[in-house]
Amino acid sequence: MSGALGGQIRRELLLLARSRTDVLNPLVFLFLTVLLFALALDGRPENLRAHAAGVLWALVLLTNMLALDGMFRRDYDDGSLEQMFLITQSPVAPVLGKLLVQWLATGALITLCSPLLGLALNLPAKVLPMLFLAFLAGSPAVSFIGAIGASVTVGIRRSGAILGLLVLPMLIPVLIFGVSVVNRALDGDPPGPAIYWLAALSVASIMAAPFAVSAGLKVSLEQ
Amino acid sequence: MPPSPLLQIARFACLRDRRLLFDPLELCVQAGECVELRGPNGVGKTTLLRALAGLFPAEGVILSRAPFAYIGHANGNAGALTAEENLRWYLTLMERPATDASLREALERVGLGAVAPRPCSRLSAGQQRRVALARLLLSAADLWLLDEPYTALDVGGVVLLDGLLREHCARGGAALVVSHNPVQPASRALDLHPAPLMRRRA
Amino acid sequence: MGWITTTWHRLGSPRWFYGMMAPWQTGFGIAALVLLAVGSVWGLVWAPADYQQGDSFRIIYIHVPTVIVAQSAYMTLGAAGLVLLVWRMKMADVAMVAIVPFGMAMTALGLFTGAVWGRPTWGTWWEWTDARLVSTLILLFLYFGLHALRQAIPAAESAARACAVLAIAGLVNIPIIKYSVEWWTTLHQGSTFSMRRINMPAVMYLPLLVNVIGMYCLFGYVMIARMRTEILRRERDTSWVVELVRRPDVR
């Protein structure tokens, strides 16, 4: 178990290190879309501040869709995925490894950058820790639930729009709770139950998604 | 007591778009056998091999199946990783030990000793296929399921693969090989026949 | 307990299902027709008007049943998906194919009637702070996703099982989505009137109950009818279907 999981994580980290632009491009895209919103909302600080939480969470979800779309594609095309599903024991452990590294390359990185993104949208400094915490608690759910959609669409050539259609409705709770945490911090209130909900969604999806993703990938391989 | 077969299937059939591909199959592969799988295009040779490898749902039963290794149309190597890194990942998946010496030996054996540090995407198609052959050697599997393994191999590569197959079968392994060209080491051939269009699963 | 397993195995047989379900289809069809006619006339004509909303509240006799059945249809989809993945029963896929368009239509009808109700009640066609309208809209997108996925995968068997995975994921998510949307709407005090908090006397809710049951019968009728059609389509080159088409009077 730990052997396959560790080996998969080592492989995915190596692949990340060899294709850094694949990691950076979605992040740059996120910053660019924040710039678009800042311009579209007149750039007035109070205007930006009022909309910052919603804009950020929505853009983060969309950025994740871009990153998720390709997450299994290369392994699917070069046959590595087949080899993963040949092994006699279940493929859940290597799949979990893949998902963890996928989160590291998107969710964790976005979480690290979130204070900067908050500043760009004129959020006051006192809100930034809570913004960071909200992304830390919520972003695993985005990656893990999103991967379920990616697993059933990996065999489809132009799957970009379809992935969003499948996954975004299921990510609405993350959006609602995430925005609430940030907005409450903006009003000076404690985060309330929403932050626990984010964490609970993430924990539940980390536990359940590897199984769903394995089933989805198996279906995609069996075409 | 006769030794148990490395692969035995009964009433084995594959459906695609709710149509039977080939006539239901009985097959028993004993240790030491190299079986060449023949049939016209579209009869389902690749599908059969994928079904045997667990990559396609099939009707019928697999009575026995030894630990196996599989090479499909794609080689199963990540382009950004070197041959050695790919093989090491494969061995951790199989929960088998991966020592530098054994990896180097396998790569030497398939004639890739000199190119080891390059990422697979920089290798030629034939060299990438040889990486897949090295995976066969390292897998220590008794049963090899090979789909068009000769594709992209040069003359030397064909001789190499023939040698590997003979050696494997002589050691008590078995192989099922799909190929358009005659497989020299094959001990027998199995022909797949397309199922009549109107016949359906009962 | 033997009959349960026997029935279960028979359910997997398209031919058995096709013949067995014919009277059920007729039964559900007649029941739906009668119940929906009674409930609608009762609700739209005889039931007393609401003291606050007057006659405009009467659309609940259509709106509420459609939304309830739309949600139940998705639950059924998830259950069928589970049966398909666990037992590999192909009839479960036939059921999924049959349900999706019906569920989509019911959801769309629920949204439309909700908007029609919203106009006189709130003065707008659409109110984001009403939890039921928003979660029904999300449900519509879940249906769209299933439909799009099936269209996108050319191999029928793979499409079926991919949809099953997605339907199960959706089934698990729906309660969470509903809860989060309801929680979200309680943050907004904007909506002064909630559709869900009407105290109804029996004369008002009995016709509603009749229509809900009628709508479920319609669901049963459409599902069985579409399943039987799908069976004929899939089994079109088997001898029993060929025989059936040649001599429709003898089954």
PDB file of all heavy atoms in Angstrom, chain A residues 180-215:
ATOM      1  N   SER A 180     -18.724  32.781   2.339  1.00  0.00           N
ATOM      2  CA  SER A 180     -19.277  33.210   3.628  1.00  0.00           C
ATOM      3  C   SER A 180     -18.173  33.450   4.656  1.00  0.00           C
ATOM      4  O   SER A 180     -18.210  34.431   5.398  1.00  0.00           O
ATOM      5  CB  SER A 180     -20.274  32.163   4.115  1.00  0.00           C
ATOM      6  OG  SER A 180     -20.337  32.177   5.509  1.00  0.00           O
ATOM      7  N   VAL A 181     -17.183  32.542   4.678  1.00  0.00           N
ATOM      8  CA  VAL A 181     -16.088  32.701   5.642  1.00  0.00           C
ATOM      9  C   VAL A 181     -15.398  34.043   5.439  1.00  0.00           C
ATOM     10  O   VAL A 181     -15.173  34.811   6.385  1.00  0.00           O
ATOM     11  CB  VAL A 181     -15.067  31.546   5.494  1.00  0.00           C
ATOM     12  CG1 VAL A 181     -13.800  31.849   6.272  1.00  0.00           C
ATOM     13  CG2 VAL A 181     -15.669  30.241   5.965  1.00  0.00           C
ATOM     14  N   VAL A 182     -15.090  34.353   4.179  1.00  0.00           N
ATOM     15  CA  VAL A 182     -14.341  35.580   3.898  1.00  0.00           C
ATOM     16  C   VAL A 182     -15.195  36.810   4.200  1.00  0.00           C
ATOM     17  O   VAL A 182     -14.723  37.784   4.797  1.00  0.00           O
ATOM     18  CB  VAL A 182     -13.862  35.575   2.432  1.00  0.00           C
ATOM     19  CG1 VAL A 182     -13.056  36.825   2.146  1.00  0.00           C
ATOM     20  CG2 VAL A 182     -13.045  34.334   2.148  1.00  0.00           C
ATOM     21  N   ASN A 183     -16.465  36.764   3.806  1.00  0.00           N
ATOM     22  CA  ASN A 183     -17.306  37.939   4.020  1.00  0.00           C
ATOM     23  C   ASN A 183     -17.553  38.215   5.496  1.00  0.00           C
ATOM     24  O   ASN A 183     -17.636  39.371   5.914  1.00  0.00           O
ATOM     25  CB  ASN A 183     -18.642  37.771   3.287  1.00  0.00           C
ATOM     26  CG  ASN A 183     -18.508  38.146   1.816  1.00  0.00           C
ATOM     27  OD1 ASN A 183     -17.572  38.865   1.449  1.00  0.00           O
ATOM     28  ND2 ASN A 183     -19.405  37.652   0.999  1.00  0.00           N
ATOM     29  N   ARG A 184     -17.662  37.131   6.273  1.00  0.00           N
ATOM     30  CA  ARG A 184     -17.830  37.343   7.714  1.00  0.00           C
ATOM     31  C   ARG A 184     -16.582  37.978   8.307  1.00  0.00           C
ATOM     32  O   ARG A 184     -16.677  38.849   9.177  1.00  0.00           O
ATOM     33  CB  ARG A 184     -18.145  36.025   8.412  1.00  0.00           C
ATOM     34  CG  ARG A 184     -19.580  35.562   8.194  1.00  0.00           C
ATOM     35  CD  ARG A 184     -19.821  34.262   8.914  1.00  0.00           C
ATOM     36  NE  ARG A 184     -19.736  34.442  10.361  1.00  0.00           N
ATOM     37  CZ  ARG A 184     -20.795  34.424  11.170  1.00  0.00           C
ATOM     38  NH1 ARG A 184     -21.988  34.248  10.674  1.00  0.00           N
ATOM     39  NH2 ARG A 184     -20.650  34.585  12.469  1.00  0.00           N
ATOM     40  N   ALA A 185     -15.416  37.548   7.839  1.00  0.00           N
ATOM     41  CA  ALA A 185     -14.177  38.139   8.329  1.00  0.00           C
ATOM     42  C   ALA A 185     -14.132  39.623   7.962  1.00  0.00           C
ATOM     43  O   ALA A 185     -13.649  40.463   8.723  1.00  0.00           O
ATOM     44  CB  ALA A 185     -12.978  37.404   7.748  1.00  0.00           C
ATOM     45  N   LEU A 186     -14.679  39.944   6.803  1.00  0.00           N
ATOM     46  CA  LEU A 186     -14.705  41.331   6.346  1.00  0.00           C
ATOM     47  C   LEU A 186     -15.555  42.186   7.286  1.00  0.00           C
ATOM     48  O   LEU A 186     -15.259  43.359   7.537  1.00  0.00           O
ATOM     49  CB  LEU A 186     -15.261  41.369   4.918  1.00  0.00           C
ATOM     50  CG  LEU A 186     -14.900  42.547   4.019  1.00  0.00           C
ATOM     51  CD1 LEU A 186     -13.398  42.728   3.931  1.00  0.00           C
ATOM     52  CD2 LEU A 186     -15.468  42.311   2.640  1.00  0.00           C
ATOM     53  N   ASP A 187     -16.638  41.574   7.799  1.00  0.00           N
ATOM     54  CA  ASP A 187     -17.496  42.290   8.750  1.00  0.00           C
ATOM     55  C   ASP A 187     -16.951  42.240  10.167  1.00  0.00           C
ATOM     56  O   ASP A 187     -17.591  42.735  11.093  1.00  0.00           O
ATOM     57  CB  ASP A 187     -18.910  41.680   8.751  1.00  0.00           C
ATOM     58  CG  ASP A 187     -19.597  41.879   7.417  1.00  0.00           C
ATOM     59  OD1 ASP A 187     -19.145  42.770   6.680  1.00  0.00           O
ATOM     60  OD2 ASP A 187     -20.548  41.149   7.116  1.00  0.00           O
ATOM     61  N   GLY A 188     -15.828  41.568  10.350  1.00  0.00           N
ATOM     62  CA  GLY A 188     -15.251  41.469  11.677  1.00  0.00           C
ATOM     63  C   GLY A 188     -15.830  40.357  12.521  1.00  0.00           C
ATOM     64  O   GLY A 188     -15.613  40.305  13.730  1.00  0.00           O
ATOM     65  N   ASP A 189     -16.599  39.446  11.913  1.00  0.00           N
ATOM     66  CA  ASP A 189     -17.196  38.341  12.664  1.00  0.00           C
ATOM     67  C   ASP A 189     -16.287  37.119  12.613  1.00  0.00           C
ATOM     68  O   ASP A 189     -15.500  36.961  11.683  1.00  0.00           O
ATOM     69  CB  ASP A 189     -18.551  37.950  12.059  1.00  0.00           C
ATOM     70  CG  ASP A 189     -19.558  39.070  12.197  1.00  0.00           C
ATOM     71  OD1 ASP A 189     -19.419  39.855  13.157  1.00  0.00           O
ATOM     72  OD2 ASP A 189     -20.450  39.182  11.339  1.00  0.00           O
ATOM     73  N   PRO A 190     -16.410  36.221  13.606  1.00  0.00           N
ATOM     74  CA  PRO A 190     -15.711  34.930  13.500  1.00  0.00           C
ATOM     75  C   PRO A 190     -16.318  34.107  12.356  1.00  0.00           C
ATOM     76  O   PRO A 190     -17.461  34.350  11.963  1.00  0.00           O
ATOM     77  CB  PRO A 190     -15.957  34.271  14.856  1.00  0.00           C
ATOM     78  CG  PRO A 190     -17.190  34.927  15.375  1.00  0.00           C
ATOM     79  CD  PRO A 190     -17.170  36.334  14.857  1.00  0.00           C
ATOM     80  N   PRO A 191     -15.571  33.131  11.821  1.00  0.00           N
ATOM     81  CA  PRO A 191     -16.023  32.449  10.599  1.00  0.00           C
ATOM     82  C   PRO A 191     -17.284  31.616  10.770  1.00  0.00           C
ATOM     83  O   PRO A 191     -17.985  31.351   9.799  1.00  0.00           O
ATOM     84  CB  PRO A 191     -14.835  31.559  10.225  1.00  0.00           C
ATOM     85  CG  PRO A 191     -14.052  31.422  11.474  1.00  0.00           C
ATOM     86  CD  PRO A 191     -14.240  32.681  12.242  1.00  0.00           C
ATOM     87  N   GLY A 192     -17.601  31.189  12.003  1.00  0.00           N
ATOM     88  CA  GLY A 192     -18.816  30.410  12.187  1.00  0.00           C
ATOM     89  C   GLY A 192     -18.710  29.018  11.610  1.00  0.00           C
ATOM     90  O   GLY A 192     -17.608  28.531  11.333  1.00  0.00           O
ATOM     91  N   PRO A 193     -19.857  28.345  11.408  1.00  0.00           N
ATOM     92  CA  PRO A 193     -19.826  26.929  11.002  1.00  0.00           C
ATOM     93  C   PRO A 193     -19.255  26.714   9.608  1.00  0.00           C
ATOM     94  O   PRO A 193     -18.823  25.621   9.282  1.00  0.00           O
ATOM     95  CB  PRO A 193     -21.290  26.513  11.057  1.00  0.00           C
ATOM     96  CG  PRO A 193     -22.059  27.778  10.930  1.00  0.00           C
ATOM     97  CD  PRO A 193     -21.236  28.838  11.586  1.00  0.00           C
ATOM     98  N   ALA A 194     -19.235  27.763   8.769  1.00  0.00           N
ATOM     99  CA  ALA A 194     -18.854  27.560   7.366  1.00  0.00           C
ATOM    100  C   ALA A 194     -17.456  26.970   7.231  1.00  0.00           C
ATOM    101  O   ALA A 194     -17.217  26.104   6.382  1.00  0.00           O
ATOM    102  CB  ALA A 194     -18.953  28.865   6.605  1.00  0.00           C
ATOM    103  N   ILE A 195     -16.527  27.411   8.077  1.00  0.00           N
ATOM    104  CA  ILE A 195     -15.149  26.922   7.943  1.00  0.00           C
ATOM    105  C   ILE A 195     -15.084  25.430   8.276  1.00  0.00           C
ATOM    106  O   ILE A 195     -14.340  24.668   7.654  1.00  0.00           O
ATOM    107  CB  ILE A 195     -14.186  27.743   8.835  1.00  0.00           C
ATOM    108  CG1 ILE A 195     -12.727  27.410   8.526  1.00  0.00           C
ATOM    109  CG2 ILE A 195     -14.434  27.533  10.309  1.00  0.00           C
ATOM    110  CD1 ILE A 195     -12.169  28.172   7.368  1.00  0.00           C
ATOM    111  N   TYR A 196     -15.936  25.012   9.253  1.00  0.00           N
ATOM    112  CA  TYR A 196     -15.964  23.580   9.568  1.00  0.00           C
ATOM    113  C   TYR A 196     -16.575  22.793   8.416  1.00  0.00           C
ATOM    114  O   TYR A 196     -16.170  21.678   8.122  1.00  0.00           O
ATOM    115  CB  TYR A 196     -16.743  23.331  10.861  1.00  0.00           C
ATOM    116  CG  TYR A 196     -16.137  24.024  12.055  1.00  0.00           C
ATOM    117  CD1 TYR A 196     -16.799  25.063  12.701  1.00  0.00           C
ATOM    118  CD2 TYR A 196     -14.868  23.662  12.510  1.00  0.00           C
ATOM    119  CE1 TYR A 196     -16.223  25.711  13.780  1.00  0.00           C
ATOM    120  CE2 TYR A 196     -14.293  24.309  13.587  1.00  0.00           C
ATOM    121  CZ  TYR A 196     -14.980  25.330  14.219  1.00  0.00           C
ATOM    122  OH  TYR A 196     -14.397  25.967  15.274  1.00  0.00           O
ATOM    123  N   TRP A 197     -17.568  23.399   7.797  1.00  0.00           N
ATOM    124  CA  TRP A 197     -18.174  22.738   6.640  1.00  0.00           C
ATOM    125  C   TRP A 197     -17.149  22.536   5.531  1.00  0.00           C
ATOM    126  O   TRP A 197     -17.081  21.481   4.905  1.00  0.00           O
ATOM    127  CB  TRP A 197     -19.355  23.549   6.107  1.00  0.00           C
ATOM    128  CG  TRP A 197     -20.644  23.104   6.690  1.00  0.00           C
ATOM    129  CD1 TRP A 197     -21.359  23.724   7.673  1.00  0.00           C
ATOM    130  CD2 TRP A 197     -21.370  21.918   6.347  1.00  0.00           C
ATOM    131  NE1 TRP A 197     -22.479  22.996   7.966  1.00  0.00           N
ATOM    132  CE2 TRP A 197     -22.521  21.895   7.173  1.00  0.00           C
ATOM    133  CE3 TRP A 197     -21.164  20.878   5.444  1.00  0.00           C
ATOM    134  CZ2 TRP A 197     -23.450  20.864   7.100  1.00  0.00           C
ATOM    135  CZ3 TRP A 197     -22.098  19.857   5.371  1.00  0.00           C
ATOM    136  CH2 TRP A 197     -23.217  19.852   6.196  1.00  0.00           C
ATOM    137  N   LEU A 198     -16.353  23.583   5.278  1.00  0.00           N
ATOM    138  CA  LEU A 198     -15.311  23.452   4.244  1.00  0.00           C
ATOM    139  C   LEU A 198     -14.381  22.295   4.574  1.00  0.00           C
ATOM    140  O   LEU A 198     -14.083  21.443   3.725  1.00  0.00           O
ATOM    141  CB  LEU A 198     -14.507  24.742   4.145  1.00  0.00           C
ATOM    142  CG  LEU A 198     -15.156  25.918   3.425  1.00  0.00           C
ATOM    143  CD1 LEU A 198     -14.197  27.102   3.415  1.00  0.00           C
ATOM    144  CD2 LEU A 198     -15.524  25.531   2.011  1.00  0.00           C
ATOM    145  N   ALA A 199     -13.921  22.273   5.833  1.00  0.00           N
ATOM    146  CA  ALA A 199     -12.985  21.224   6.234  1.00  0.00           C
ATOM    147  C   ALA A 199     -13.640  19.854   6.124  1.00  0.00           C
ATOM    148  O   ALA A 199     -13.026  18.892   5.643  1.00  0.00           O
ATOM    149  CB  ALA A 199     -12.498  21.480   7.656  1.00  0.00           C
ATOM    150  N   ALA A 200     -14.917  19.772   6.539  1.00  0.00           N
ATOM    151  CA  ALA A 200     -15.608  18.482   6.493  1.00  0.00           C
ATOM    152  C   ALA A 200     -15.768  18.006   5.053  1.00  0.00           C
ATOM    153  O   ALA A 200     -15.565  16.826   4.743  1.00  0.00           O
ATOM    154  CB  ALA A 200     -16.972  18.600   7.163  1.00  0.00           C
ATOM    155  N   LEU A 201     -16.118  18.938   4.150  1.00  0.00           N
ATOM    156  CA  LEU A 201     -16.254  18.565   2.738  1.00  0.00           C
ATOM    157  C   LEU A 201     -14.931  18.045   2.199  1.00  0.00           C
ATOM    158  O   LEU A 201     -14.876  17.063   1.452  1.00  0.00           O
ATOM    159  CB  LEU A 201     -16.709  19.773   1.912  1.00  0.00           C
ATOM    160  CG  LEU A 201     -18.171  20.187   2.053  1.00  0.00           C
ATOM    161  CD1 LEU A 201     -18.441  21.468   1.293  1.00  0.00           C
ATOM    162  CD2 LEU A 201     -19.064  19.073   1.526  1.00  0.00           C
ATOM    163  N   SER A 202     -13.833  18.713   2.595  1.00  0.00           N
ATOM    164  CA  SER A 202     -12.524  18.282   2.107  1.00  0.00           C
ATOM    165  C   SER A 202     -12.174  16.896   2.631  1.00  0.00           C
ATOM    166  O   SER A 202     -11.734  16.032   1.862  1.00  0.00           O
ATOM    167  CB  SER A 202     -11.442  19.289   2.524  1.00  0.00           C
ATOM    168  OG  SER A 202     -11.539  20.434   1.723  1.00  0.00           O
ATOM    169  N   VAL A 203     -12.380  16.685   3.922  1.00  0.00           N
ATOM    170  CA  VAL A 203     -12.041  15.379   4.503  1.00  0.00           C
ATOM    171  C   VAL A 203     -12.867  14.286   3.832  1.00  0.00           C
ATOM    172  O   VAL A 203     -12.344  13.242   3.412  1.00  0.00           O
ATOM    173  CB  VAL A 203     -12.264  15.393   6.031  1.00  0.00           C
ATOM    174  CG1 VAL A 203     -12.154  13.981   6.581  1.00  0.00           C
ATOM    175  CG2 VAL A 203     -11.259  16.301   6.701  1.00  0.00           C
ATOM    176  N   ALA A 204     -14.184  14.550   3.702  1.00  0.00           N
ATOM    177  CA  ALA A 204     -15.056  13.531   3.101  1.00  0.00           C
ATOM    178  C   ALA A 204     -14.641  13.243   1.668  1.00  0.00           C
ATOM    179  O   ALA A 204     -14.604  12.087   1.237  1.00  0.00           O
ATOM    180  CB  ALA A 204     -16.511  13.996   3.153  1.00  0.00           C
ATOM    181  N   SER A 205     -14.295  14.291   0.915  1.00  0.00           N
ATOM    182  CA  SER A 205     -13.951  14.039  -0.482  1.00  0.00           C
ATOM    183  C   SER A 205     -12.590  13.353  -0.605  1.00  0.00           C
ATOM    184  O   SER A 205     -12.378  12.560  -1.518  1.00  0.00           O
ATOM    185  CB  SER A 205     -14.001  15.334  -1.305  1.00  0.00           C
ATOM    186  OG  SER A 205     -13.169  16.295  -0.744  1.00  0.00           O
ATOM    187  N   ILE A 206     -11.663  13.654   0.330  1.00  0.00           N
ATOM    188  CA  ILE A 206     -10.371  12.950   0.278  1.00  0.00           C
ATOM    189  C   ILE A 206     -10.580  11.458   0.527  1.00  0.00           C
ATOM    190  O   ILE A 206      -9.928  10.603  -0.080  1.00  0.00           O
ATOM    191  CB  ILE A 206      -9.383  13.537   1.314  1.00  0.00           C
ATOM    192  CG1 ILE A 206      -8.930  14.924   0.876  1.00  0.00           C
ATOM    193  CG2 ILE A 206      -8.167  12.630   1.491  1.00  0.00           C
ATOM    194  CD1 ILE A 206      -8.108  15.660   1.896  1.00  0.00           C
ATOM    195  N   MET A 207     -11.548  11.148   1.394  1.00  0.00           N
ATOM    196  CA  MET A 207     -11.773   9.733   1.691  1.00  0.00           C
ATOM    197  C   MET A 207     -12.544   9.024   0.580  1.00  0.00           C
ATOM    198  O   MET A 207     -12.266   7.875   0.266  1.00  0.00           O
ATOM    199  CB  MET A 207     -12.520   9.587   3.023  1.00  0.00           C
ATOM    200  CG  MET A 207     -11.650  10.016   4.193  1.00  0.00           C
ATOM    201  SD  MET A 207     -12.237   9.403   5.767  1.00  0.00           S
ATOM    202  CE  MET A 207     -13.843  10.096   5.850  1.00  0.00           C
ATOM    203  N   ALA A 208     -13.515   9.712  -0.015  1.00  0.00           N
ATOM    204  CA  ALA A 208     -14.395   9.026  -0.972  1.00  0.00           C
ATOM    205  C   ALA A 208     -13.894   9.133  -2.410  1.00  0.00           C
ATOM    206  O   ALA A 208     -14.027   8.186  -3.192  1.00  0.00           O
ATOM    207  CB  ALA A 208     -15.812   9.595  -0.873  1.00  0.00           C
ATOM    208  N   ALA A 209     -13.301  10.284  -2.769  1.00  0.00           N
ATOM    209  CA  ALA A 209     -12.984  10.521  -4.180  1.00  0.00           C
ATOM    210  C   ALA A 209     -12.028   9.490  -4.786  1.00  0.00           C
ATOM    211  O   ALA A 209     -12.222   9.096  -5.936  1.00  0.00           O
ATOM    212  CB  ALA A 209     -12.453  11.941  -4.369  1.00  0.00           C
ATOM    213  N   PRO A 210     -10.973   9.031  -4.071  1.00  0.00           N
ATOM    214  CA  PRO A 210     -10.088   8.051  -4.715  1.00  0.00           C
ATOM    215  C   PRO A 210     -10.830   6.826  -5.249  1.00  0.00           C
ATOM    216  O   PRO A 210     -10.496   6.311  -6.317  1.00  0.00           O
ATOM    217  CB  PRO A 210      -9.112   7.670  -3.604  1.00  0.00           C
ATOM    218  CG  PRO A 210      -9.057   8.872  -2.744  1.00  0.00           C
ATOM    219  CD  PRO A 210     -10.458   9.428  -2.758  1.00  0.00           C
ATOM    220  N   PHE A 211     -11.862   6.392  -4.534  1.00  0.00           N
ATOM    221  CA  PHE A 211     -12.630   5.241  -5.001  1.00  0.00           C
ATOM    222  C   PHE A 211     -13.450   5.603  -6.237  1.00  0.00           C
ATOM    223  O   PHE A 211     -13.477   4.862  -7.224  1.00  0.00           O
ATOM    224  CB  PHE A 211     -13.542   4.729  -3.882  1.00  0.00           C
ATOM    225  CG  PHE A 211     -12.782   4.188  -2.705  1.00  0.00           C
ATOM    226  CD1 PHE A 211     -12.489   4.992  -1.616  1.00  0.00           C
ATOM    227  CD2 PHE A 211     -12.318   2.880  -2.712  1.00  0.00           C
ATOM    228  CE1 PHE A 211     -11.755   4.504  -0.544  1.00  0.00           C
ATOM    229  CE2 PHE A 211     -11.595   2.379  -1.641  1.00  0.00           C
ATOM    230  CZ  PHE A 211     -11.303   3.191  -0.557  1.00  0.00           C
ATOM    231  N   ALA A 212     -14.115   6.772  -6.179  1.00  0.00           N
ATOM    232  CA  ALA A 212     -14.925   7.196  -7.322  1.00  0.00           C
ATOM    233  C   ALA A 212     -14.038   7.435  -8.541  1.00  0.00           C
ATOM    234  O   ALA A 212     -14.384   7.063  -9.666  1.00  0.00           O
ATOM    235  CB  ALA A 212     -15.700   8.460  -6.982  1.00  0.00           C
ATOM    236  N   VAL A 213     -12.867   8.060  -8.322  1.00  0.00           N
ATOM    237  CA  VAL A 213     -11.965   8.338  -9.437  1.00  0.00           C
ATOM    238  C   VAL A 213     -11.446   7.028 -10.040  1.00  0.00           C
ATOM    239  O   VAL A 213     -11.366   6.884 -11.266  1.00  0.00           O
ATOM    240  CB  VAL A 213     -10.788   9.230  -8.977  1.00  0.00           C
ATOM    241  CG1 VAL A 213      -9.727   9.340 -10.055  1.00  0.00           C
ATOM    242  CG2 VAL A 213     -11.305  10.611  -8.607  1.00  0.00           C
ATOM    243  N   SER A 214     -11.120   6.043  -9.179  1.00  0.00           N
ATOM    244  CA  SER A 214     -10.674   4.751  -9.699  1.00  0.00           C
ATOM    245  C   SER A 214     -11.751   4.123 -10.569  1.00  0.00           C
ATOM    246  O   SER A 214     -11.464   3.618 -11.665  1.00  0.00           O
ATOM    247  CB  SER A 214     -10.337   3.799  -8.546  1.00  0.00           C
ATOM    248  OG  SER A 214      -9.301   4.337  -7.761  1.00  0.00           O
ATOM    249  N   ALA A 215     -12.998   4.178 -10.079  1.00  0.00           N
ATOM    250  CA  ALA A 215     -14.096   3.617 -10.873  1.00  0.00           C
ATOM    251  C   ALA A 215     -14.235   4.371 -12.192  1.00  0.00           C
ATOM    252  O   ALA A 215     -14.392   3.765 -13.260  1.00  0.00           O
ATOM    253  CB  ALA A 215     -15.401   3.685 -10.077  1.00  0.00           C
TER     254      ALA A 215
END
